[in-house]
Each structure stands twice: as C-alpha cells, then as structure tokens.
Amino acid sequence: MTEKPLISIEALARRYPKRGGGETTVFEDLWLPIQKGEFVCLIGHSGCGKTTILNVLAGLDQPSSGSVIVDGREISGPSLDRAVIFQGHSLLPWMTVLGNIAFAVSSRRPEWSRETVRAHCQRYVDLVHLSGSEHKKPSELSGGMKQRVGIARALAIEPKMLLMDEPFSALDALTRGSLQEEARRICRETGQTVFMITHDIDEAMLLADRIVLMTNGPQAEIVENPLPRDRLAASMHRHADYYPLRNHLLEFLVTRSKSFASEIEGRPYDPRKPAVVRPCAVAEDKVPAAASV
Amino acid sequence: MASSLTLRAGLLSLLIFAAFIGAWQWATLPTAGVAGNVDPEYAALVSGAAAQGAKSAFPTPADVAATLWGHLKDPFYVRGANDQGVGIQLAYSLGRVIVGYLLAAAVAIPLGFLIGMSPLTYRALDPFIQILKPISPLAWMPLALYTIKDSGISAIFVIFICSLWPMLINTAFGVASVRKEWLNVAATLEVGAFRKAFLVILPAAAPTIMTGMRISIGIAWLVIVAAEMLVGGTGIGYFVWNEWNNLSIGNIITAILLIGLVGMALDLALARAARLVAYRE
Ligand SMILES: Nc1ncnc2c1ncn2[C@@H]1O[C@H](COP(=O)(O)OP(=O)(O)O)[C@@H](O)[C@H]1O
Ligand SMILES: [Mg+2]
C-alpha cells in the first residue's frame, strides 16, 4: 500500500477544557491513512472518542492539534465530499423521503433541473429499497427505513468518502442484518470509501477491510480482515479465519484494551505506524509490527 | 368511545347553557314588591319601568336576544359618527388589530431570527426585552398620543407593541433551539446561508413561531377594546364605552358576546395555520 491515501489523519488530537482548569485529552497523536475504496471500521469502548474523531473528519469539530488531509489538502470544515450518516437518522421531519434526499442532491448540484434532481433521487430511493415510500414523512417510517433514507441521502451526493457513526446500532437485529448486507453491497458496487464507527464486532468483520481498534489511551492497533471479500453474514462464520479474527477482536476489547499501554511499554511504539495484525487460522498469523500501512 | 364522548360533552354544554340562561332569567324577573327599596338617584338614571320596580334594569335573555338580532339584521348601517352598526365597529377594530399585528410580525420575525441566530445579540438584547415585555401596552398610550398625535394610529401602535414581544421571543427561542443535528446536516451539505435559513431553520422553528403568533393575536384582541375605550371615535371598544354612557346594557352584552366570537375566530384561524407548519419528529 504505497499508493497515496485518500484520507490521511496526521497527529490528530482533541482536548476539552476540564472544569476547574486543566484539560482532558480524548485522544492524541492519532495517525491513520485510508485508501481509496477501502472500508475502515473503528471499534472502541464507548467514550473513547470515536464520535469526536468522526466529527473532526466531517469538519463539524476542530482538532486541538494535528490535521486531516483529504486528497492532498488539509480540511477546513464540512464538505460535500465527505457525506455523514449520523448516529440518529437526523432526517428533516418536515420533508418527505424524496424531499430529504433532493435537499442534499440540489445542494450538491445547484445547476440541476428539478426533474434531473428527482430522477437522480429516485435511483437512490430504489437502491435502498424504499420505492413506494417516497412521499412519506420520516415520522411515518420505521427505524430501519429512516436509516435507509439517511444512507440514500449520503450516497446520492456521490461523496468521495462516507462517514458513518454507529449507523445500525439503534436497530433490531433482523433489520440491522439486512441493512448491513445492503450497505456492503452498495459500497462494493460503487467502490465507496467508508469510515464507519461501530461497537459491534460482527458488523466490523462483515463490512470492514481494515479494523482500527482504539484504546482509551492514545494507542491503537490495526487489524486486517482475512476473510474473503465476497463474504456473507450467513456463511462467513464457516470460514477458517472467522474465529481467529473474532477472538482477536474480542480479546482486544475485553482485556488487551486496558493493558495495551503496558503491553507496548519498552517496545518502540511509533504512533505513525501502529501495529498491523492479520489474524488467520494458520500459525504464522502476525505480520511483523509496523510492516506496512 | 370518542363519538359518544363528543355527544355527551355536547349535551353537557347545552345543559350548562340552559342553566345559565335559566339563572339569568330568574335573576332578572320583575320584582314588583321591592319598588320602595330602589335608590331614587339610580331610578332617575335607569328607565322609568325599572324605577317602578315592574321590571329589572338588567335585560332578560329575551331582551338581549332581541337586541342581538337587531344588530345582526343590520350590522353595517351608518347614522352619523356616533351611531354606526356593530359590524362596522367590529371591522374598525379588526382592521386596527390586523394592521398593528402584521407590522409587529414584519418586525418581530426577522428580528427574532437574527437574535436567535446569534448568541451575542440574544444576550445583549435580553435585558431590554425582559423590561419592555411586562409593560402594559396601554401604558404606552399617552406617549403614543403625544408623539403620533393621531388617535387611530396610536391605537395601532399599541397593538403593534403588545403583539411584538410574544412573536419576538418565540421566534428567537425557536431559532436558537433548532436541533444541532439538523444544522449539522445543513453544514455537511454545505448549504448556503439563505437556503439554510429558509429550508432548515424556518421550518424547524415554525411551530414555535406560530405559537408566538397565536399568543400575540389573542393579546392584541384583548388590548384593542381597552385602547378604543381610551381613544374613542370608532371601534368595538368605543361602542361598548358609548353604550355604557347610554346605559344600554343590552347593547353592551351583545358587544361582549361578539368580541368573544371574533376572538375565538382569530384564534381558530391561527390554530389552523399552525397545523400547516407542524411536523412530527
Ligand atoms: N463538549 C464536550 N466537552 C467535554 N468533554 C466532551 C465533550 N464531548 C465529548 N466529550 C468527551 O469526549 C469523550 C469521547 O466522546 P465521544 O467521542 O462521544 O465517545 P464515543 O467513543 O462513545 O463516541 C467522552 O469521554 C466525553 O466525555
Ligand atoms: Mg459515539
């Protein structure tokens, strides 16, 4: 992966002023490149700063130091190049499904005629299987349908990158499963670059090419997904690499995330090149730390 | 069941109305025996019949109904400056309320928008609003008469002042409390300031703004009666005051009833409008 990344997070830090003086550091010295067409998942315990990172990537929040480089340029604010799917669906409740998507599309393409916008929106409504509900208001939709509108709205502006903050966490398991499959299909078909936050290991295993494990400290570990690219939720657990990967992730979140700081103590740790791991069924499963990226 | 509840509520309303009319009728029954107790000065003021005790000075429901019918039959007559139909008087009052109210809306909604968008102006203007808001609009009347000189415009000014605050405060509040997520959506879509104001903030704040507009029209209609009693000339407030000077209780009661009906109609109209901009989250 020597190709120039689409997005490069460089020495990013975010601190909040503490009440009564001083500062709390949410994260610091975070480095992460994201290649074009890559699906990256960020997993971490709640409160470790995932949403904060995403807001910085979206341009809604400013980092305390460090920068985010997109296409060779440092970002300075929100952009249509980076579409966001928010944790709550955040549809505008006074607009219909089509209206919400059209609002986004006509923001992206102010020169388009009403009919062009409409036809374009309809394509994305069909893509997320919402045909027939175009003229419903968000309050008339189920949670899963609202989330689909959010996905359609984000995809319809044809962004360079999709940022998702726990997009499926508020849904029931069945809806979540089918939406995950759909998200995977759409992202693969369109070659979309995605940065997604989740706290669901199975979701990350299904969707991500790379999984960033975040600790409450500044450190992180990157896990490459060894599962075949055409994996399906229903059958991926039969793959030989499934359990090694799953156990690795689980172990990190349950135990190693707390002891990670002492684990890497004494060893040279370069935050620019966090350890990259590829858990596989074969014994020789670890790529030497800091080998790639 | 909802329908049976509506039916029963309607029946109860009728019953209450009948009881009220009955009590009124009973209270205004001719009191033949107490003629001697009538204060002679009062007797000189009111009609001869009442003074003799044959009939109460307060009109019976039937008297009022007859008066009301008389007014409704011919609401728009003009017989000189001091004798115009009740419809004309109501139209004068409504005209003043609507002009003052629309002027207030034209100032309060854009200004409230700006105040709500900027925390700085919100804080800076808050003390002024807090002090000006509780002032009775009628307290402005002498000042208005002194500076404007024209009594009709002064009444409009008083309506303007009293309608201003609820609309201003509600608009500022509604705009300031638009959900952060919706603003974030607008931000990530790089929506321009005008599009954001008209397509995101205005619809989001519209229900709160409409609540302010509804409060304002209610207050304006309350205030116009008092204002017209003060400035005189025309209007339903002046009509009531004039009929008090004529001691025509029947006309006063008719006017009170009509004031209530028009106020209700104004409120209903704004409630309708509010439903148009309401949304469910
Ligand atoms: N406005 C703020 N002021 C102070 N601390 C904040 C603020 N926003 C978030 N934080 C802190 O930053 C940390 C990370 O928050 P967040 O990014 O929302 O976590 P999560 O990983 O669950 O998405 C939390 O500990 C939270 O307390
Ligand atoms: Mg979060």
Side-chain angles (χ1 to χ4, degrees):
Chain A
M1 277 193 259
T2 47
E3 194 187 329
K4 216 167 161 330
L6 175 68
I7 287 208
S8 177
I9 297 173
E10 300 184 355
L12 207 64
R14 183 71 173 96
R15 300 177 198 94
Y16 284 110
K18 218 189 280 187
R19 236 185 316 159
E23 281 183 329
T24 29
T25 303
V26 182
F27 56 84
E28 68 179 336
D29 212 7
L30 186 83
W31 295 73
L32 181 72
I34 299 172
Q35 304 296 330
K36 195 164 185 304
E38 201 178 16
F39 200 125
V40 174
C41 270
L42 179 69
I43 303 192
H45 288 289
S46 94
C48 74
K50 304 184 297 293
T51 298
T52 312
I53 292 177
L54 190 115
N55 282 344
V56 171
L57 287 181
L60 295 168
D61 193 5
Q62 268 68 49
S64 307
S65 64
S67 52
V68 178
I69 316 283
V70 177
D71 259 351
R73 254 187 297 162
E74 182 172 351
I75 64 163
S76 54
S79 160
L80 280 156
D81 285 339
R82 282 163 277 130
V84 187
I85 297 176
F86 295 94
Q87 194 159 359
H89 52 83
S90 71
L91 301 175
L92 304 178
W94 53 88
M95 291 183 186
T96 61
V97 167
L98 211 56
N100 267 285
I101 302 172
F103 178 61
V105 171
S106 52
S107 303
R108 171 96 199 186
R109 315 258 181 217
E111 72 281 4
W112 279 8
S113 73
R114 198 176 270 261
E115 292 74 50
T116 319
V117 168
R118 220 205 119 106
H120 184 83
C121 294
Q122 189 65 49
R123 275 226 312 283
Y124 285 89
V125 168
D126 297 342
L127 188 71
V128 296
H129 301 309
L130 276 177
S131 324
S133 301
E134 292 90 342
H135 301 293
K136 287 192 179 146
K137 294 271 173 75
S139 60
E140 299 164 293
L141 303 177
S142 70
M145 290 162 92
K146 281 185 219 168
Q147 206 53 266
R148 274 170 220 240
V149 182
I151 294 171
R153 177 173 67 183
L155 290 170
I157 61 173
E158 297 173 329
K160 284 188 183 151
M161 153 152 246
L162 204 55
L163 303 171
M164 302 200 257
D165 190 356
E166 303 194 17
F168 310 124
S169 61
L171 306 174
D172 62 281
L174 220 59
T175 316
R176 185 162 58 222
S178 68
L179 266 185
Q180 284 166 350
E181 298 262 4
E182 262 176 64
R184 178 162 172 75
R185 170 180 62 84
I186 293 167
C187 291
R188 286 197 63 196
E189 277 171 12
T190 54
Q192 189 63 252
T193 311
V194 187
F195 181 80
M196 180 169 128
I197 289 171
T198 179
H199 55 232
D200 181 341
I201 288 179
D202 290 295
E203 183 168 283
M205 287 167 65
L206 175 66
L207 297 172
D209 303 316
R210 283 196 302 150
I211 299 163
V212 180
L213 294 166
M214 209 174 153
T215 67
N216 284 57
Q219 307 87 2
E221 183 175 273
I222 295 174
V223 176
E224 284 184 357
N225 196 335
L227 298 173
R229 290 206 60 142
D230 57 354
R231 58 190 174 268
L232 293 170
S235 56
M236 73 174 179
H237 66 276
R238 280 191 228 116
H239 196 274
D241 292 340
Y242 178 84
Y243 282 105
L245 174 63
R246 193 167 201 285
N247 292 342
H248 183 90
L249 297 176
L250 208 58
E251 196 187 338
F252 188 94
L253 287 178
V254 175
T255 55
R256 285 181 58 219
S257 66
K258 292 183 200 82
S259 59
F260 198 67
S262 58
E263 186 181 314
I264 60 166
E265 206 179 285
R267 278 198 271 154
Y269 179 80
D270 183 359
R272 292 168 184 241
K273 294 195 164 71
V276 179
V277 186
R278 190 183 170 91
C280 297
V282 281
E284 191 53 31
D285 59 355
K286 296 213 170 161
V287 179
S292 65
V293 177
Chain B
M1 271 198 309
S3 68
S4 103
L5 184 66
T6 313
L7 191 72
R8 282 186 294 159
L11 276 175
L12 190 59
S13 293
L14 274 179
L15 211 69
I16 292 169
F17 183 68
F20 170 73
I21 296 292
W24 179 1
Q25 179 72 45
W26 178 78
T28 51
L29 279 178
T31 46
V34 289
N37 294 344
V38 175
D39 179 354
E41 253 179 73
Y42 178 70
L45 270 172
V46 299
S47 71
Q52 286 149 28
K55 196 167 175 291
S56 164
F58 204 86
T60 62
D63 294 339
V64 171
T67 314
L68 182 62
W69 178 239
H71 281 298
L72 291 183
K73 233 176 15 185
D74 186 15
F76 299 111
Y77 70 86
V78 179
R79 280 179 224 123
N82 278 340
D83 190 9
Q84 306 188 22
V86 74
I88 289 195
Q89 304 288 23
L90 276 172
Y92 272 118
S93 301
L94 261 179
R96 283 180 191 131
V97 162
I98 287 168
V99 171
Y101 178 82
L102 288 182
L103 284 174
V107 172
I109 294 173
L111 189 62
F113 222 89
L114 293 179
I115 296 174
M117 296 269 260
S118 146
L120 177 70
T121 48
Y122 203 134
R123 292 242 188 141
L125 289 178
D126 194 52
F128 298 102
I129 295 173
Q130 295 306 331
I131 290 174
L132 292 172
K133 183 182 66 167
I135 298 172
S136 162
L138 295 173
W140 292 97
M141 189 59 106
L143 218 54
L145 284 170
Y146 178 76
T147 46
I148 304 172
K149 309 245 163 28
D150 183 278
S151 63
I153 298 179
S154 295
I156 290 175
F157 173 77
V158 167
I159 295 303
F160 169 83
I161 280 289
C162 75
S163 318
L164 193 67
W165 309 116
M167 287 197 266
L168 186 67
I169 291 164
N170 270 48
T171 306
F173 177 75
V175 168
S177 48
V178 172
R179 294 250 298 260
K180 188 89 175 63
E181 309 163 20
W182 300 337
L183 296 176
N184 280 347
V185 168
T188 55
L189 294 175
E190 295 187 73
V191 174
F194 264 97
R195 258 169 71 85
K196 184 169 96 175
F198 284 102
L199 295 181
V200 179
I201 297 175
L202 189 61
T208 320
I209 297 175
M210 280 307 303
T211 307
M213 295 181 77
R214 209 171 151 189
I215 296 171
S216 278
I217 199 84
I219 294 177
W221 190 243
L222 286 181
V223 165
I224 193 65
V225 176
E228 286 168 347
M229 283 182 175
L230 275 176
V231 298
T234 49
I236 194 71
Y238 168 71
F239 177 85
V240 170
W241 196 250
N242 203 28
E243 295 310 316
W244 162 240
N245 287 332
N246 296 342
L247 264 170
S248 168
I249 307 289
N251 279 336
I252 293 175
I253 295 173
T254 304
I256 288 173
L257 198 63
L258 291 174
I259 290 169
L261 286 173
V262 172
M264 187 177 78
L266 288 173
D267 190 57
L268 278 179
L270 274 146
R272 263 296 154 78
R275 236 178 294 150
L276 291 180
V277 299
Y279 55 83
R280 243 172 358 117
E281 281 181 40

